[in-house]
């Protein structure tokens, strides 16, 4: 089963980005940074989600991100599915921090249960078919709206959402042009999907 081992974010200022992620979330081995001046405007077509165990941890991570320089997009709040909020890192990457739990069971931690890469795509059905052909296994599928793939042995889970719906969920306009400023490292690559998201072989993935 194909899986994602890492995600590389292209950033204009590598030193500043490294400082932000270290302070905000702790720079995971799954998240790499690479200096790039690739032109991009508006919504870059993806979000990264950090799933945690309880609301207190959501608040702790979002507060740390805001203190480190992130921009709030959606304040942490309760919803039908749980509790969460959305921020935008100084490099432009949109991060959602959420939990399915509605009550705290202990003190806040910095532990993350799961990292999910959500790609905003033009045609969920077509992109689903493309990724199945690349060796990814479908875990959940909701028609033409949303598809989630099994993580396999990798630490990052992949999901597909309609671009406009993903932007709405993140609290931003769906408009955007230029580079995604994202490289996905996994054992299925190298290839570029129908929406221009590029994969590379894990062995050649960048290091932090």
């Amino acid at each position: 089963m194909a899986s994602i081992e890492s995600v590389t974010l292209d950033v204009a200022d590598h030193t500043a980005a490294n400082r932000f992620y270290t302070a905000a979330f702790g720079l995971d081995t799954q998240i790499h940074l690479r200096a790039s001046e690739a032109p991009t405007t508006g919504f870059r077509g993806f979000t990264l989600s950090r799933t945690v165990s309880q609301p207190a941890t959501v608040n702790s991570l979002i507060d740390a991100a805001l203190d480190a320089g992130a921009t709030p997009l959606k304040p942490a709040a309760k919803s039908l599915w749980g509790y969460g909020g959305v921020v935008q890192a100084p490099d432009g990457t949109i991060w959602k921090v959420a939990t399915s739990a509605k009550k705290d069971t202990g003190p806040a931690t910095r532990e993350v249960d799961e990292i999910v890469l959500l790609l905003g795509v033009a045609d969920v059905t077509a992109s689903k078919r493309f990724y199945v052909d690349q060796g990814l296994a479908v875990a959940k599928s909701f028609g033409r709206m949303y598809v989630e793939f099994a993580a396999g042995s990798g630490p990052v889970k992949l999901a597909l959402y309609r671009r406009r719906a993903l932007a709405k969920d993140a609290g931003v306009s769906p408009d955007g042009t230029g580079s995604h400023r994202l490289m996905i490292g996994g054992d299925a690559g190298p290839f570029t999907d129908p929406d221009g998201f590029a994969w590379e072989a894990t062995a050649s993935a960048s290091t932090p």
Side-chain angles (χ1 to χ4, degrees):
M1 184 189 302
S3 61
I4 299 176
E5 298 299 328
S6 64
V7 172
T8 299
L9 303 174
D10 287 349
V11 297
D13 188 330
H14 188 282
T15 300
N18 187 78
R19 187 184 306 118
F20 168 80
Y21 284 110
T22 299
F25 301 134
L27 190 59
D28 302 288
T29 57
Q30 307 96 312
I31 307 299
H32 300 161
L33 304 173
R34 178 167 54 196
S36 172
E37 295 291 344
T40 186
T41 63
F43 183 46
R44 283 156 48 186
F46 73 93
T47 66
L48 281 159
S49 294
R50 300 171 75 87
T51 303
V52 299
S53 63
Q54 59 181 350
T57 300
V58 171
N59 292 335
S60 176
L61 290 173
I62 287 182
D63 287 347
L66 294 175
D67 288 345
T71 301
L73 295 179
K74 281 189 172 181
K78 291 181 180 179
S79 68
L80 292 175
W81 48 263
Y83 184 84
V86 184
V87 299
Q88 187 167 30
D91 67 89
T93 303
I94 294 173
W95 288 87
K96 184 173 188 176
V97 185
T99 178
S100 59
K102 296 188 178 182
K103 293 183 179 180
D104 293 322
T105 56
T109 71
R110 290 176 67 86
E111 293 182 10
V112 175
D113 297 334
E114 189 173 64
I115 295 179
V116 182
L117 171 62
L118 272 157
L119 302 183
V121 302
D123 186 329
V124 170
T125 301
S127 292
K128 171 186 173 182
R129 187 180 310 116
F130 175 86
Y131 277 108
V132 168
D133 289 344
Q134 304 306 316
L136 277 79
V138 174
K140 298 178 183 178
S141 182
F142 299 95
R144 297 178 176 272
M145 187 68 178
Y146 177 85
V147 174
E148 185 178 294
F149 297 96
S153 60
V156 182
K157 182 180 288 185
L158 176 69
L160 309 176
Y161 208 3
R162 289 187 299 183
R163 180 186 171 98
R164 188 169 293 276
L166 181 59
K168 182 179 180 180
D169 182 65
V172 297
S173 166
D175 299 329
T177 61
S179 173
H180 293 299
R181 286 199 175 188
L182 174 74
M183 180 65 74
I184 305 166
D187 51 15
F191 60 80
T192 300
D193 80 359
D195 293 275
F197 291 101
W199 287 58
E200 62 185 358
T202 304
S204 63
S206 302
T207 55

